[in-house]
Amino acid sequence: MRIVCPFCGARDAQEFSYLGDASLQQRPDTPAGAPLDDAAHAAWHDYVYLRENPPGEHTEFWYHASGCRQWLKVTRHMRTHAISNVEAARPSSLRGAA
Amino acid sequence: MVDVSIPPVVSALAGLATAGQRLGFKDGEAGVQIAELTGVAIASIAARKGLADDLSAKVQTLFGLPLPSEPKRVAAGDVSIIWSAPGQWLVVFESGGRQRVSDLTAALRGLASTTDQSDSRAIIEISGPRVRDVLAKGVMVDLHPSVFAPGNTAITLVAHVGAQLTCIDAAPVYQLMVPRSFCLSFWDWLISSAEEYGISIGAKGDPKKG
Amino acid sequence: MRYSILSVLGQALKGQKDWKPVWRDAEPKPAYDVIIVGGGGHGLATAYYLAKEHDIRNVAVVEKGWIGGGNVGRNTTIIRSNYLLPGNIPFYEKSMKLWEGLEQDINYNAMISQRGILNLYHSDGQRDAYVRRGNAMRLHGVDAELLDREGVRKMYPFLNFDNARFPIHGGLLHRRGGTVRHDAVAWGYARAADQRGVDIIQNCEVTGIRVENGRVLGVETERGFIGANKVGLAAAGNSSRVAAMAGLKLPIESQVLQAFVSEGLKPLIPGVITFGAGHFYISQSDKGGLVFGGDLDGYNSYAQRGNLPVVEDVCEGGMALMPAIGRLRVLRGWGGIMDMSMDGSPIIDKTPVDGLYLNCGWCYGGFKATPASGFCFAHTIARDEPHELNAAYRLDRFRTGRLIDEKGVGAQPNLH
Amino acid sequence: MSRQPNRLASGGLVDRNKPQLFRFDGQPYQGFAGDTLASALLANGVSLFGRSFKYHRPRGLLSAGPEEPNALVELRSGARREPNTRATVAELYDGLEATSQNRWPSLRFDAMAVNQLFAPIFAAGFYYKTFMWPAAFWEKLYEPIIRRAAGLGRPAGSEDPDHYEKAFAHCDVLVIGSGPAGLMAALAAGRSGARVIIAEEDFRLGGRLICDRREVDGVPSVEWVARIASELEAMPEVRVMLRTSVFGVYDGGVYGALERVNDHVAVPPEFQPRQRMWRIMTRETILAAGSIERPVVFGDNDRPGVMMAGSVRTYTNRFAVAPGTRAAVFANNDDAARTIGDLEAAGVHVDAVIDPRPGSTDSVRSAARKAGSELIEGAIERATGGQRVQSVDVRSNGSTRSLSVDLVAMSGGWSPTVHLTSHQGSRPVWDDQLSAFLPGQTLPPGMTVAGAATGQFSLEACLAAGAAAGLDAAGRCGFRRAQLAVPSADPESTAVSPLWRVRGTKGKAFVDFQNDVAASDVELAEREGFRSVEHLKRYTTLGMATDQGKTANVNGLALMAEITAKSISQTGTTIFRPPYTPVAIGALAGHHRGEHFKPTRLTAGHAWAKRQGAVFVESGVWMRAAYFPRPGENDWLETTIREVNTVRSAVGVCDVSTLGKIDVQGRDAGKFLDFVYCNTFSTLAIGKARYGVMLREDGFAMDDGTTSRLAEDHYVVTTTTANAAKVMQHMEFCHQVLLPHLDVQMISISDQWAQYAIAGPKSRAVLQKIVDPRHDISNEAFPFMAAAEISLKGGIPARLFRISFSGEMAYELAVPAGFGEAAIVEIIKAGQEFGIAPYGLEALTVMRIEKGHVAGAEFNGQTTARDFGLGKMVSTKKEFVGRVMAQREALTQPDRPILVGLRPIEEGFRLRSGAHLLNRGAEPSLDNDQGYVTSTTYSPTLRSWIGLAFMKSGKERTGDTVRAWDAIRGTDALVEVVGPCFYDPKGERHHG
């Protein structure tokens, strides 16, 4: 499998490490110090343990570990492995590079 | 100020091979030349948030070189700048030693996070008629001149070792940056991959510089 | 027809003419007491134990393709009960005990062969971790022995003891572990369940699960609605997909695991060996093929195939461990879809929907669990409460933190 | 020395000036360069090649290619023995040694052939019905016998002496196969300027063009192939790869290919690999793999001398070998005409042509007439003869007669070689017209199929299709389509009408030759309900032999269709999986075996430590000094004790360079570290170090280490050796994904700095001798947990951290790795007068256990900061990774196992890690399990073995006596529960 890194170009998936479901970007916001209610526990349970796992297109995190060390959001089909989109997890406006 | 009592910097490849040595297949001209580039100082610079433009402007005035925004190497005189990640570059000084890194750090204060990496990598130059056949045994990126020309660089995995490969001449000549602690393993792979073509070991740079 | 020396010889003389189908290819009835979704090993075993242990015989196993076409037909046939954590040990030991009596129980030769499993260790730390595991096994009466380097050499002289990157220090030996003819498990359970009246319905994909006011009513299929008081999901690999039909989101990712078989060879490897310094395990089938595998491809997938880097990684492990196999050839590789759970352990439990039960999250350990999984799932469905053996495999453990994380890698399925 | 009785006087692509001597079963023979082992043996009149898997029936050559099911041999000997090697693809070389396999005592007289008597019992799946009585006998008796009888060749039991390589190639167009379609495709793409790789598994280009006597462009096909080959060789962007099998199709245009670099010589030349495994990355692929001829299923169709018609032509034309003297041709298609002509040309008389098609066809009739062969409308019912066919029973309009022949050239038509098209799940589709499976609708992205592989069976069609495919592929890659004329070819007829099996035959009618699957087995499978193709395959083992059913699958499916009265498309087919042909495991591993299995990381001080005689140990991919033995010391323990005592009483030095080091800079560096650690770093003073614990988001402990603040916006983080990469990745995730707004820059400096722990009461004195005087490192100026950038020896840049793992007054001194060796030399020199000694990982471990510091054994991923007794460190004021999930009930329940210390009651008892804890008098059971021992050591300081453990309600049980139960090692001893810190619990010593 080849992933087109937006920074390095097409590379073998072997150069990347996999984390999975990109919903991990939506980390619950539970203020420190505040007591934890059931809602907070539920929100965290869902965040840490529940995963989108569709048989079709899926957006997931890959890390270009052996390349530019950037976290990428890859949209890939789970039956064909066809990759329809790759983008940096971090918006370019917030990157060091202009 | 550099004191005379300071011992020389020891390369990670020290003792693995000596200049002038011939390895592997003996007949005819060696298929590849391999030489370590010693005596270099390396700084990694990372732009502070939102200051990338100011940083490139500053670097331009310092070295007359732009900061490549894609995987490229630019060079002038004894300085080369190699892209190493978005917003991150390696500045390689072929002379002047570590002091150049300190000077750069001072010059870029506030614009970039600068880190001395002079000892972190061995730089191996490899060339010769069979060089691409050798590299093909471990390098997964396409090295065809039409896609990987002089000035192109790639951070990639080579035989299980993370390395940075740069084309520095159309001859072709390639430069491999290998993390210091991995050098022995990398060398084993490189030699066993090249020996069927015959290898001649050369030397580059001045090993004495601290 | 019961299998016996007589029937086999008799049929030999009659040109094998009177054998009947091993199971009926049943047509769906309008309704059943219990419908099991998924005609794999676990589903078929569940149906069998529902009939045998709980006398619930009005049962249908609904399979989208042909039975045994899922992971029970695409694994490396290993059975073992060498687990570390209290939540796992009794369950897998029950499974081992059921394996030991299975063939007589179902009158089908699944070629269960307790050839012994040797887990190699390559460092003091690894040895101590295995000792901790071995002692935990012994606390439950499961067999475990520690071998030193020489002990390993005696068993497997052709391993790499001389120029290894990670020298072999010894191994943890689990003699009752071994292998089983995997397809035969599906066929044997199917035959035994069929003989007890269970309907096995092939080529009948479930397209929906009908739920009303929090209670399950049955399943929608390609061949129409089939009613049921209770529905058990045993569709590992596709659990997320099937559970979604009832509105459930699971702590599971579907990932691909490859395995390989070599050309047929005269006997080389008597038992099962796992490499402790790389992703590689191997055994030799009765037919002579070396059956081996390694790590997951490491990404989500519903395609039953993997990629080259893992093939190479597995073979690198193989050559590092046993350089004698260099000239032997890989004949076939295949990929299975694993239900990778968030702590590496399975889920056998009720669900928030009345009458809907869940059996999933087997990671790559489902085959060895087949008998106990069927046994416990049948109990959970019949009694509407978990058996003590699957008491730890609850769905709520991720909320409470009562995880069963053998590898200790946390909520990252591809590391389990 | 035999004189090749069956070699034709002239012709063929063998070099008669290069005789090659070889042995088969010890018997010497001679062949020629250009032969395969099969053709050379055939030339020498050998017809018996092997024995079948189950019945051990005598078998000869069926084919001339990779589809061969019968002629498998053990090639080479000793450690280089290669079992199951197809004689039909083994290139002959001088000195070749081959042995027949799966027979005893000899190929001719095989005792195991008695199995044929039990054939009625040994029907498909009989195993599942029997061997169950008595139960115990399976493992003790039945299975061992079955295992010995099963299998084919014998593996070499010792290390493969050859080496293997991997290589990577990129191209625009990959052409698989070099028959007419492949050659034209490569030519077309090459002339258009594309980067082309053409892979051919044979050692010659040409495919059928060098096996049949054809005309292309008005010249003999062999000449035409040579012409095209030289043009391709001359193109700079075209790479011709001979002896290269493309074995698998993977995602993203990645193809696996095996190049047999040196399998055609006895031993690879020095410096050269035996084989090279290529990963080819391509944009377009043209599959021109041709087709495989099908046998006809009739009685005893496996007798040696019954061969595929196309292969018969290959042997006569390409290898100039006559496979027999009197032949019968049995074919359901018009290739029969060519077969007759070629046999006659080779001096083999065709007595009869048997054609099941009513009236046959003009081309066959005229060919038969020309050859003076009798044309029989009918079918062969059975072949007779033992180790060589002697006659065939032919049935024609109702009556059966016997013809005595020693060669049967059969053909059931051709099956396109579609294997690679289905590697990504696409199912081949049945075509009634061509009676063949064609590539499915959804091919792997970028793949097109041309020629016979897609059912274009005429030469002209192949040439045209190849040309078109090559031009189109180049076009899609953005090249201008070259001008290319499609060459003409001699006319031919490709008429075929299906014949799967001859009904009502006597004897075993084989479908899968190697696995001995007969028509009767397919019938039995159907009877027992194994009707789906997957069930049929698994139950009968049809298509599961080393040839992966290349000659068997289609016939098997057709039979099942016939029996179930379904069409073949309704019956369906199994899909092919990689590899297309079996691939050596060594080739898939390549360079990475033995010591090269994984990379080895060495510290800058490694060479020095080696010179000191250090004993090294693997620590992940690092090599670390475990201990430094001195003359007279008997074992590691004695040495370690001496090293510990030296540190505790004077001073020692230890290489800790393997720790992960991360440079963290930026205005928000402190804020960022507050988020990744459970304790606080934004409040850390400049010039100070602090210990930190990192949690996973699920609340369990992930890693620990000290972090120092060198400037307002500059921290240096250290991680454990094992987790360095994982932590870097995690921190990048936290920054790039969760906190992208922060101004933080991170880079690994693990390779930049060599780091030494200098520990012991005299450590400061040692340092004061090498640290440049302008840096005040007195206790006052540089107290415990101080950190600073300094210099040594008049200018060596360095960093000094006053941190202690040993519990003594200690420092960690970091220098640029290039000075790593110089620094250790200077430290030792400076320390001489204080009795300094280097110490290794063992001593380091002893001292950290004495101090109750947690390490890898405690960081097992199942434990929390609270379990370590570090609950107080966990901040309640700020947000950080793992904060919420660490508060779940099971992670906070009071009786949860917590870190304790253990001391054996019995003097000198050796406590070992891995033991479980039980209360006195309690039955060993999981319910009574109180915890487990994680780390143990002999403590020279306490003169006793001690240990760390996780124990239920451990804190409350201090002072209790419990059992350390270690059934695995056979010990069960009483230990006292104590606090985890055995040494200087008040921590006075490290304050110095």
Side-chain angles (χ1 to χ4, degrees), chain D residues 448-717:
Chain D
T448 49
V449 190
T454 185
Q456 294 153 321
F457 289 125
S458 85
L459 175 51
E460 237 158 8
C462 289
L463 293 162
L471 293 173
D472 294 347
R476 282 190 296 273
C477 294
F479 296 91
R480 248 185 69 258
R481 302 158 59 101
Q483 293 306 319
L484 184 70
V486 178
S488 64
D490 56 310
E492 70 193 303
S493 161
T494 58
V496 58
S497 55
L499 170 68
W500 305 117
R501 69 154 156 183
V502 180
R503 291 187 150 283
T505 62
K506 291 175 231 62
K508 278 219 172 288
F510 286 95
V511 180
D512 184 314
F513 289 76
Q514 192 182 129
N515 270 354
D516 282 329
V517 179
S520 54
D521 295 310
V522 179
E523 287 162 343
L524 175 60
E526 189 277 335
R527 207 169 295 135
E528 296 192 274
F530 295 93
R531 293 167 191 145
S532 88
V533 289
E534 276 296 335
H535 285 159
L536 170 66
K537 170 181 132 191
R538 291 160 183 270
Y539 193 64
T540 63
T541 73
L542 170 79
M544 296 181 90
T546 64
D547 58 349
Q548 284 209 44
K550 290 187 176 69
T551 55
N553 282 354
V554 177
N555 284 344
L557 301 176
L559 245 66
M560 179 57 78
E562 191 182 289
I563 299 162
T564 54
K566 284 185 175 162
S567 73
I568 292 179
S569 32
Q570 286 168 324
T571 306
T573 176
T574 59
I575 62 172
F576 302 97
R577 296 199 189 88
Y580 165 63
T581 50
V583 179
I585 293 168
L588 290 161
H591 173 77
H592 304 286
R593 58 192 265 202
E595 280 116 355
H596 303 301
F597 168 51
K598 289 273 187 269
T600 304
R601 296 182 75 176
L602 303 179
T603 68
H606 185 86
W608 177 86
K610 209 166 170 184
R611 287 201 299 279
Q612 309 312 305
V615 174
F616 294 93
V617 62
E618 303 81 18
S619 168
V621 288
W622 288 96
M623 294 302 285
R624 297 185 71 174
Y627 53 98
F628 294 79
R630 287 189 177 167
E633 292 175 339
N634 298 313
D635 63 3
W636 67 274
L637 186 56
E638 187 179 350
T639 302
T640 302
I641 291 168
R642 191 249 311 148
E643 291 174 6
V644 171
N645 289 335
T646 310
V647 172
R648 297 257 183 253
S649 63
V651 58
V653 57
C654 180
D655 188 342
V656 293
S657 307
T658 60
L659 292 175
K661 309 174 209 71
I662 304 170
D663 204 44
V664 182
Q665 301 191 48
R667 288 187 296 278
D668 301 319
K671 208 184 291 176
F672 177 71
L673 293 175
D674 286 349
F675 181 74
V676 294
Y677 282 101
C678 72
N679 51 324
T680 309
F681 282 92
S682 52
T683 57
L684 181 64
I686 296 170
K688 289 289 183 191
R690 179 174 290 165
Y691 174 74
V693 172
M694 209 178 264
L695 307 184
R696 297 189 311 227
E697 196 66 276
D698 67 359
F700 290 88
M702 174 176 170
D703 197 53
D704 69 345
T706 57
T707 291
S708 308
R709 189 170 198 171
L710 300 179
E712 179 60 32
D713 57 357
H714 190 183
Y715 292 76
V716 174
V717 169

Side-chain angles (χ1 to χ4, degrees), chain A residues 12 14 17 27 30 71 81, chain D residues 251 279 697 729 736 883:
Chain A
D12 197 291
Q14 196 176 353
S17 60
R27 191 169 182 272
T30 317
W71 278 94
H81 297 166
Chain D
D251 290 314
R279 218 188 278 182
E697 196 66 276
Q729 176 172 340
Q736 294 175 31
R883 178 180 66 92

Side-chain angles (χ1 to χ4, degrees), chain D residues 48-53 55-59 70 101-103 106-110 113 116 152 387 514:
Chain D
L48 180 60
F49 279 71
R51 291 276 175 171
S52 68
F53 179 76
Y55 304 130
H56 290 254
R57 288 171 65 110
R59 292 287 170 84
N70 292 340
Q101 57 184 37
N102 195 34
R103 83 288 184 280
S106 80
L107 185 53
R108 220 153 256 301
F109 311 99
D110 178 4
Q116 292 173 52
L152 293 162
Q387 302 194 339
Q514 192 182 129

Side-chain angles (χ1 to χ4, degrees), chain D residues 376-397:
Chain D
I376 305 173
E377 260 181 57
I380 295 181
E381 270 187 344
R382 181 178 199 173
T384 57
Q387 302 194 339
R388 170 97 208 195
V389 60
Q390 284 158 355
S391 68
V392 288
D393 300 343
V394 179
R395 183 177 53 201
S396 177
N397 45 49

Side-chain angles (χ1 to χ4, degrees), chain C residues 380-401:
Chain C
T380 307
I381 293 170
R383 307 281 179 80
D384 195 41
E385 66 182 8
H387 187 281
E388 60 175 3
L389 289 169
N390 63 308
Y393 296 155
R394 306 301 297 269
L395 198 45
D396 68 0
R397 68 180 186 265
F398 301 98
R399 192 154 290 160
T400 59

Side-chain angles (χ1 to χ4, degrees), chain D residues 334-415:
Chain D
D334 284 8
D335 281 355
R338 193 175 299 123
T339 309
I340 298 161
D342 291 358
L343 279 171
E344 289 293 331
V348 181
H349 185 255
V350 178
D351 288 17
V353 182
I354 299 103
D355 193 330
R357 299 173 297 176
S360 186
T361 62
D362 298 347
S363 66
V364 175
R365 272 199 305 274
S366 64
R369 199 178 313 110
K370 225 189 297 121
S373 317
E374 179 186 6
L375 176 62
I376 305 173
E377 260 181 57
I380 295 181
E381 270 187 344
R382 181 178 199 173
T384 57
Q387 302 194 339
R388 170 97 208 195
V389 60
Q390 284 158 355
S391 68
V392 288
D393 300 343
V394 179
R395 183 177 53 201
S396 177
N397 45 49
S399 67
T400 302
R401 56 192 258 226
S402 170
L403 294 171
S404 68
V405 294
D406 61 0
L407 173 66
V408 177
M410 68 173 159
S411 175
W414 295 80
S415 298

